[in-house]
Amino acid sequence: MEKPNIIDKRQIRLEDLEKADYIPFLGGRPQRTTIINHDDCINLTILLNTTTTVDDLLKQKSN
């Protein structure tokens, strides 16, 4: 018997709902454990202005 050619186009899957980091649609942002201070904003601005691509940004941020 052949498998049916079914494409799953669901936006939300049940297996996603059970993950600990799942944020429901319009559920708001997760609670912060620390406060974003002025230095963090300045460092982010410098990082955004010194990188040219998203890949460069992620490489710099992971270091």
Side-chain angles (χ1 to χ4, degrees):
M1 189 170 169
E2 281 186 42
K3 289 184 178 179
N5 192 10
I6 299 172
I7 299 173
D8 189 4
K9 293 185 177 181
R10 296 176 294 167
Q11 298 258 339
I12 300 173
R13 295 180 175 83
L14 285 175
E15 55 269 17
D16 294 338
L17 294 174
E18 296 175 351
K19 293 181 181 175
D21 62 346
Y22 176 75
I23 300 172
F25 181 68
L26 296 178
R29 67 171 176 80
Q31 293 295 322
R32 293 195 189 280
T33 55
T34 59
I35 298 173
I36 298 174
N37 59 28
H38 186 66
D39 289 339
D40 293 331
C41 293
I42 290 174
N43 291 337
L44 178 61
T45 304
I46 292 169
L47 185 62
L48 289 172
N49 287 314
T50 56
T51 55
T52 55
T53 64
V54 175
D55 292 330
D56 290 342
L57 175 72
L58 295 175
K59 285 178 189 173
Q60 290 293 324
K61 190 61 183 161
S62 65
N63 291 339

